[in-house]
Amino acid sequence: MVIVAGHLMVDAAQREAYLAGCVSVVEQGRAAAGNLDFALSPDVVDPRRINIFERWESQEAVAAFRGAGVDDEQGAQILEASVSEFDTDTERTLS
């Protein structure tokens, strides 16, 4: 399993519009082969921050979905990003 986690920073006044523009990306991600979970969400403390969490069956599934990454318009709105991929073969259910 591959976990993609981190955050993006955008202008606070533009965060809601940025997230609204990501609805189709989330829908496509969730429908993609090998996707287990896909979420973008506003941070409850920092009005500029968008949290990212994704789970994928494999690195190949991530790569097939990612393609070229965000489009130019979305990319121009990102002021800062910190996103990483984590490979794991162990899962413990907590709920």
Side-chain angles (χ1 to χ4, degrees), residues 17-85:
Y18 184 92
L19 285 168
C22 292
V23 170
S24 65
V25 173
V26 174
E27 291 171 339
Q28 292 169 23
R30 290 180 180 175
N35 180 260
L36 302 170
D37 196 4
F38 197 108
L40 299 175
S41 59
D43 190 80
V44 298
V45 176
D46 188 334
R48 301 170 303 142
R49 183 174 164 140
I50 297 169
N51 296 313
I52 298 171
F53 180 80
E54 305 171 21
R55 284 189 315 129
W56 297 87
E57 290 177 353
S58 67
Q59 179 58 48
E60 293 77 20
V62 175
F65 175 73
R66 283 281 172 255
V70 299
D71 66 31
D72 290 341
E73 184 178 335
Q74 283 182 322
Q77 294 179 57
I78 298 170
L79 305 175
E80 182 182 323
S82 176
V83 182
S84 299
E85 290 183 4

